[in-house]
Amino acid sequence: MLRGTYARARVVVVREAVARTLMWIGAVGALAGLLIPSLTGLGLGALIGAGLFVLGLLVGLLQRRRWFAVQAAAAEKAAFAVTLEPPHETRQRLARGHALWLLIGIGATAALGVVAGPAAGLGVLGYGVGMLLSALRLARWERREEKLLWARTDDGRLFGRRSAVAEFVTTGPAGGNVKAVVHG
């Protein structure tokens, strides 16, 4: 059990923010692959991209499904000392933290568009869509159980090393309406 005051961010909000970043990277990469003539040609690149989209969607949807279910089942009620981070602040914090990765990802998928057409971009887009669907499934679980899942804000992306992620905690549905404590 952790002692002292610490901040928590909604798991669903973090997953959605990461998924949307991946979707942007994939969409821009796929568009670049469509606009720039590639070595594989547009037809083959689009066909490979469609397959990678489906594969990425399945991986994003099913990845860590069991792990999130175990974490959600084991989550305890949040202590009084927990500070809840509002969703818009979580999105802003993650956007600032992932800005460089967004630029690198867009550059890499656009560069791959020269070689394989829209294939790489569609694969990343599919993975992002799968993660978004996974986050929506988790949000549906929250509504059904009438609990919101929260993770430590310093746990980062929630899809790094599982051993580095602390236990989740829950609050009631009203915890999602949290407002900013400090304006700055």
Side-chain angles (χ1 to χ4, degrees):
M1 190 76 165
L2 297 169
R3 295 197 177 271
T5 302
Y6 51 92
R8 294 281 181 161
R10 282 250 341 255
V11 174
V12 169
V13 174
V14 173
R15 297 280 293 173
E16 284 179 354
V18 172
R20 292 182 196 285
T21 300
L22 289 170
M23 289 170 57
W24 273 107
I25 291 170
V28 171
L31 184 62
L34 289 172
L35 297 177
I36 301 169
S38 66
L39 299 176
T40 61
L42 184 59
L44 183 59
L47 185 62
I48 294 170
L52 287 175
F53 179 86
V54 172
L55 181 65
L57 186 130
L58 290 174
V59 169
L61 183 62
L62 300 176
Q63 181 186 30
R64 295 200 171 186
R65 182 179 187 173
R66 231 178 278 139
W67 182 79
F68 274 104
V70 168
Q71 287 288 94
E76 295 179 4
K77 189 171 180 183
F80 184 73
V82 172
T83 301
L84 303 176
E85 184 177 55
H88 69 277
E89 287 185 12
T90 301
R91 289 184 192 99
Q92 288 175 351
R93 179 177 53 82
L94 291 172
R96 282 190 305 270
H98 292 130
L100 180 62
W101 288 111
L102 179 66
L103 293 174
I104 290 171
I106 287 174
T109 55
L112 286 171
V114 174
V115 177
L122 286 173
V124 174
L125 178 63
Y127 184 67
V129 170
M131 277 187 69
L132 184 63
L133 292 175
S134 175
L136 293 175
R137 184 179 59 225
L138 194 57
R140 193 172 60 232
W141 178 89
E142 286 181 335
R143 280 192 301 278
R144 186 178 66 240
E145 298 293 323
E146 294 185 357
K147 297 177 182 176
L148 300 180
L149 288 173
W150 300 82
R152 299 240 342 210
T153 55
D154 56 357
D155 281 343
R157 297 165 286 179
L158 289 181
F159 66 94
R161 290 191 345 242
R162 284 180 258 188
S163 62
V165 177
E167 71 282 347
F168 290 172
V169 297
T170 62
T171 63
N177 300 327
V178 65
K179 301 290 184 223
V181 177
V182 178
H183 299 285

PDB file of all heavy atoms in Angstrom, residues 124-140:
ATOM      1  N   VAL A 124      -0.213   0.792 -38.621  1.00  0.00           N
ATOM      2  CA  VAL A 124      -0.217   1.601 -37.392  1.00  0.00           C
ATOM      3  C   VAL A 124      -1.626   2.129 -37.112  1.00  0.00           C
ATOM      4  O   VAL A 124      -2.076   2.137 -35.964  1.00  0.00           O
ATOM      5  CB  VAL A 124       0.803   2.758 -37.488  1.00  0.00           C
ATOM      6  CG1 VAL A 124       0.708   3.683 -36.289  1.00  0.00           C
ATOM      7  CG2 VAL A 124       2.214   2.204 -37.611  1.00  0.00           C
ATOM      8  N   LEU A 125      -2.334   2.536 -38.146  1.00  0.00           N
ATOM      9  CA  LEU A 125      -3.708   3.005 -37.985  1.00  0.00           C
ATOM     10  C   LEU A 125      -4.587   1.892 -37.423  1.00  0.00           C
ATOM     11  O   LEU A 125      -5.384   2.120 -36.505  1.00  0.00           O
ATOM     12  CB  LEU A 125      -4.262   3.500 -39.326  1.00  0.00           C
ATOM     13  CG  LEU A 125      -5.708   3.991 -39.330  1.00  0.00           C
ATOM     14  CD1 LEU A 125      -5.861   5.202 -38.433  1.00  0.00           C
ATOM     15  CD2 LEU A 125      -6.143   4.312 -40.752  1.00  0.00           C
ATOM     16  N   GLY A 126      -4.436   0.674 -37.926  1.00  0.00           N
ATOM     17  CA  GLY A 126      -5.208  -0.453 -37.417  1.00  0.00           C
ATOM     18  C   GLY A 126      -4.913  -0.728 -35.953  1.00  0.00           C
ATOM     19  O   GLY A 126      -5.823  -1.008 -35.163  1.00  0.00           O
ATOM     20  N   TYR A 127      -3.641  -0.640 -35.570  1.00  0.00           N
ATOM     21  CA  TYR A 127      -3.263  -0.853 -34.176  1.00  0.00           C
ATOM     22  C   TYR A 127      -3.902   0.213 -33.286  1.00  0.00           C
ATOM     23  O   TYR A 127      -4.414  -0.096 -32.202  1.00  0.00           O
ATOM     24  CB  TYR A 127      -1.741  -0.846 -34.037  1.00  0.00           C
ATOM     25  CG  TYR A 127      -1.248  -1.144 -32.653  1.00  0.00           C
ATOM     26  CD1 TYR A 127      -1.425  -2.405 -32.087  1.00  0.00           C
ATOM     27  CD2 TYR A 127      -0.613  -0.174 -31.899  1.00  0.00           C
ATOM     28  CE1 TYR A 127      -0.982  -2.675 -30.809  1.00  0.00           C
ATOM     29  CE2 TYR A 127      -0.161  -0.444 -30.620  1.00  0.00           C
ATOM     30  CZ  TYR A 127      -0.343  -1.696 -30.078  1.00  0.00           C
ATOM     31  OH  TYR A 127       0.084  -1.966 -28.815  1.00  0.00           O
ATOM     32  N   GLY A 128      -3.892   1.464 -33.741  1.00  0.00           N
ATOM     33  CA  GLY A 128      -4.518   2.537 -32.974  1.00  0.00           C
ATOM     34  C   GLY A 128      -6.020   2.344 -32.843  1.00  0.00           C
ATOM     35  O   GLY A 128      -6.587   2.554 -31.765  1.00  0.00           O
ATOM     36  N   VAL A 129      -6.674   1.923 -33.918  1.00  0.00           N
ATOM     37  CA  VAL A 129      -8.113   1.668 -33.858  1.00  0.00           C
ATOM     38  C   VAL A 129      -8.406   0.516 -32.895  1.00  0.00           C
ATOM     39  O   VAL A 129      -9.355   0.577 -32.108  1.00  0.00           O
ATOM     40  CB  VAL A 129      -8.677   1.378 -35.272  1.00  0.00           C
ATOM     41  CG1 VAL A 129     -10.106   0.868 -35.207  1.00  0.00           C
ATOM     42  CG2 VAL A 129      -8.602   2.620 -36.140  1.00  0.00           C
ATOM     43  N   GLY A 130      -7.580  -0.522 -32.929  1.00  0.00           N
ATOM     44  CA  GLY A 130      -7.756  -1.639 -31.997  1.00  0.00           C
ATOM     45  C   GLY A 130      -7.597  -1.211 -30.555  1.00  0.00           C
ATOM     46  O   GLY A 130      -8.373  -1.622 -29.678  1.00  0.00           O
ATOM     47  N   MET A 131      -6.596  -0.360 -30.279  1.00  0.00           N
ATOM     48  CA  MET A 131      -6.416   0.153 -28.913  1.00  0.00           C
ATOM     49  C   MET A 131      -7.591   1.021 -28.485  1.00  0.00           C
ATOM     50  O   MET A 131      -8.025   0.972 -27.331  1.00  0.00           O
ATOM     51  CB  MET A 131      -5.124   0.961 -28.808  1.00  0.00           C
ATOM     52  CG  MET A 131      -3.903   0.126 -28.587  1.00  0.00           C
ATOM     53  SD  MET A 131      -2.445   1.133 -28.263  1.00  0.00           S
ATOM     54  CE  MET A 131      -2.818   1.801 -26.660  1.00  0.00           C
ATOM     55  N   LEU A 132      -8.127   1.807 -29.418  1.00  0.00           N
ATOM     56  CA  LEU A 132      -9.279   2.645 -29.095  1.00  0.00           C
ATOM     57  C   LEU A 132     -10.494   1.771 -28.771  1.00  0.00           C
ATOM     58  O   LEU A 132     -11.220   2.033 -27.805  1.00  0.00           O
ATOM     59  CB  LEU A 132      -9.592   3.596 -30.245  1.00  0.00           C
ATOM     60  CG  LEU A 132     -10.718   4.591 -30.004  1.00  0.00           C
ATOM     61  CD1 LEU A 132     -10.359   5.525 -28.854  1.00  0.00           C
ATOM     62  CD2 LEU A 132     -11.022   5.376 -31.254  1.00  0.00           C
ATOM     63  N   LEU A 133     -10.699   0.715 -29.549  1.00  0.00           N
ATOM     64  CA  LEU A 133     -11.809  -0.206 -29.263  1.00  0.00           C
ATOM     65  C   LEU A 133     -11.601  -0.900 -27.916  1.00  0.00           C
ATOM     66  O   LEU A 133     -12.559  -1.128 -27.171  1.00  0.00           O
ATOM     67  CB  LEU A 133     -11.946  -1.233 -30.382  1.00  0.00           C
ATOM     68  CG  LEU A 133     -12.411  -0.686 -31.729  1.00  0.00           C
ATOM     69  CD1 LEU A 133     -12.388  -1.779 -32.786  1.00  0.00           C
ATOM     70  CD2 LEU A 133     -13.793  -0.060 -31.612  1.00  0.00           C
ATOM     71  N   SER A 134     -10.356  -1.217 -27.591  1.00  0.00           N
ATOM     72  CA  SER A 134     -10.035  -1.813 -26.295  1.00  0.00           C
ATOM     73  C   SER A 134     -10.360  -0.840 -25.162  1.00  0.00           C
ATOM     74  O   SER A 134     -10.910  -1.235 -24.124  1.00  0.00           O
ATOM     75  CB  SER A 134      -8.565  -2.209 -26.254  1.00  0.00           C
ATOM     76  OG  SER A 134      -8.200  -2.669 -24.991  1.00  0.00           O
ATOM     77  N   ALA A 135     -10.029   0.432 -25.351  1.00  0.00           N
ATOM     78  CA  ALA A 135     -10.339   1.447 -24.339  1.00  0.00           C
ATOM     79  C   ALA A 135     -11.849   1.616 -24.194  1.00  0.00           C
ATOM     80  O   ALA A 135     -12.358   1.774 -23.079  1.00  0.00           O
ATOM     81  CB  ALA A 135      -9.697   2.777 -24.706  1.00  0.00           C
ATOM     82  N   LEU A 136     -12.574   1.548 -25.300  1.00  0.00           N
ATOM     83  CA  LEU A 136     -14.035   1.656 -25.231  1.00  0.00           C
ATOM     84  C   LEU A 136     -14.645   0.457 -24.515  1.00  0.00           C
ATOM     85  O   LEU A 136     -15.630   0.592 -23.786  1.00  0.00           O
ATOM     86  CB  LEU A 136     -14.619   1.806 -26.638  1.00  0.00           C
ATOM     87  CG  LEU A 136     -14.264   3.116 -27.346  1.00  0.00           C
ATOM     88  CD1 LEU A 136     -14.790   3.110 -28.769  1.00  0.00           C
ATOM     89  CD2 LEU A 136     -14.779   4.312 -26.572  1.00  0.00           C
ATOM     90  N   ARG A 137     -14.049  -0.724 -24.707  1.00  0.00           N
ATOM     91  CA  ARG A 137     -14.513  -1.911 -23.996  1.00  0.00           C
ATOM     92  C   ARG A 137     -14.275  -1.737 -22.494  1.00  0.00           C
ATOM     93  O   ARG A 137     -15.112  -2.094 -21.674  1.00  0.00           O
ATOM     94  CB  ARG A 137     -13.802  -3.155 -24.519  1.00  0.00           C
ATOM     95  CG  ARG A 137     -14.301  -4.437 -23.888  1.00  0.00           C
ATOM     96  CD  ARG A 137     -13.625  -5.667 -24.402  1.00  0.00           C
ATOM     97  NE  ARG A 137     -12.197  -5.591 -24.162  1.00  0.00           N
ATOM     98  CZ  ARG A 137     -11.276  -5.902 -25.051  1.00  0.00           C
ATOM     99  NH1 ARG A 137     -11.630  -6.303 -26.251  1.00  0.00           N
ATOM    100  NH2 ARG A 137     -10.005  -5.812 -24.752  1.00  0.00           N
ATOM    101  N   LEU A 138     -13.131  -1.170 -22.127  1.00  0.00           N
ATOM    102  CA  LEU A 138     -12.831  -0.912 -20.721  1.00  0.00           C
ATOM    103  C   LEU A 138     -13.801   0.124 -20.143  1.00  0.00           C
ATOM    104  O   LEU A 138     -14.256  -0.011 -19.006  1.00  0.00           O
ATOM    105  CB  LEU A 138     -11.390  -0.434 -20.583  1.00  0.00           C
ATOM    106  CG  LEU A 138     -10.773  -0.428 -19.207  1.00  0.00           C
ATOM    107  CD1 LEU A 138     -10.809  -1.813 -18.575  1.00  0.00           C
ATOM    108  CD2 LEU A 138      -9.336   0.065 -19.285  1.00  0.00           C
ATOM    109  N   ALA A 139     -14.160   1.129 -20.932  1.00  0.00           N
ATOM    110  CA  ALA A 139     -15.135   2.132 -20.490  1.00  0.00           C
ATOM    111  C   ALA A 139     -16.510   1.487 -20.293  1.00  0.00           C
ATOM    112  O   ALA A 139     -17.244   1.852 -19.364  1.00  0.00           O
ATOM    113  CB  ALA A 139     -15.222   3.268 -21.499  1.00  0.00           C
ATOM    114  N   ARG A 140     -16.862   0.538 -21.137  1.00  0.00           N
ATOM    115  CA  ARG A 140     -18.132  -0.174 -20.988  1.00  0.00           C
ATOM    116  C   ARG A 140     -18.125  -0.985 -19.686  1.00  0.00           C
ATOM    117  O   ARG A 140     -19.117  -1.039 -18.977  1.00  0.00           O
ATOM    118  CB  ARG A 140     -18.385  -1.068 -22.203  1.00  0.00           C
ATOM    119  CG  ARG A 140     -19.790  -1.592 -22.268  1.00  0.00           C
ATOM    120  CD  ARG A 140     -20.103  -2.323 -23.550  1.00  0.00           C
ATOM    121  NE  ARG A 140     -19.229  -3.462 -23.722  1.00  0.00           N
ATOM    122  CZ  ARG A 140     -18.501  -3.711 -24.813  1.00  0.00           C
ATOM    123  NH1 ARG A 140     -18.559  -2.888 -25.833  1.00  0.00           N
ATOM    124  NH2 ARG A 140     -17.739  -4.774 -24.889  1.00  0.00           N
TER     125      ARG A 140
END
